[in-house]
Amino acid sequence: MVHSTTIARVTDGLPLAASVDDEETENALQEHKQQSKLIFRRITPNSEPRCSIESGAYTLHYLIVDNVVYLTIAEKSYPRKLAFSYLDELSKEFSRSYGEKVDSARKPYAFVSFDTFMSKTARLYKDTRTATAAAANSESNMDKLNGELQDVTRIMTKNMEELLWRGDSLDKMSHLSTSLRSESEKYRKAAKKINTDALLRQWAPVGGVVLFIILVLWWRFF
């Protein structure tokens, strides 16, 4: 299930709205909320528009739309396509309600009243079965579920340790570079295997003949 959600401006990380969480959720997600602030600082206009960042028993999912980043903390087992369907619903309603006011906002949580919609939507997505039904019945999300959001392989995945200790970037080019390195390593290993197989095919008959001669000599003289 989705537990906590924050909406911020991409250009400066200014928090625009957040879900009102109970004390139990606040205590359980204190560390992950701090990590959310780190993500907001790392996000730039060049960042991947959709990303899932794994951190212990939870995953932090974010969606960037029109200079606004929508981030939710969900259990690691919660389906990614439902998490992003939830964020997509928030983005559409927030854009309709406050889109023109985002750039002029000066104070943190200027749109705190949006919590009402977030709470109502989060309840629909609390259980995976009701979430799937809600997403499928939502006209605004139908195309997403049948198209791009269903293809979870298009969602960049990171580990929180990569961001904290290795200083990994969330930019698109960084993701592309990582993918290219991965592909390069894969093809290097494939090429090495092909070369090894070719050598075996080339020298296996010779090795077989040599081994046969050795066995014959050993049998005759020993």
Side-chain angles (χ1 to χ4, degrees), residues 176-205:
L176 178 60
S177 176
T178 302
S179 299
L180 289 174
R181 286 198 300 271
S182 176
E183 290 295 317
S184 176
E185 179 66 16
K186 182 173 68 175
Y187 287 120
R188 186 186 67 80
K189 291 180 178 179
K192 185 177 180 180
K193 185 178 184 302
I194 290 171
N195 290 334
T196 302
D197 291 344
L199 286 173
L200 287 174
R201 286 194 299 268
Q202 180 180 354
W203 295 104

Side-chain angles (χ1 to χ4, degrees), residues 42-56:
R42 293 287 179 87
I43 284 176
T44 71
N46 293 321
S47 293
E48 280 289 327
R50 291 182 302 277
C51 184
S52 296
I53 302 168
E54 298 173 350
S55 178

Side-chain angles (χ1 to χ4, degrees), residues 130-183:
T130 58
T132 301
N137 291 328
S138 172
E139 184 178 352
S140 63
N141 280 326
M142 198 64 179
D143 292 338
K144 290 288 186 181
L145 281 176
N146 291 331
E148 195 170 7
L149 285 181
Q150 247 181 347
D151 185 5
V152 294
T153 60
R154 295 187 183 185
I155 300 172
M156 184 171 75
T157 303
K158 289 277 188 180
N159 187 284
M160 184 57 68
E161 290 185 0
E162 295 175 341
L163 295 176
L164 289 175
W165 307 116
R166 287 169 43 185
D168 247 13
S169 171
L170 293 169
D171 287 358
K172 297 176 184 177
M173 291 305 295
S174 172
H175 180 41
L176 178 60
S177 176
T178 302
S179 299
L180 289 174
R181 286 198 300 271
S182 176
E183 290 295 317

Side-chain angles (χ1 to χ4, degrees), residues 6-7 71 112 114 137 195 206 208 210 213 221:
T6 305
I7 301 173
L71 184 148
V112 67
F114 191 67
N137 291 328
N195 290 334
V206 177
V210 171
I213 293 172
F221 296 104

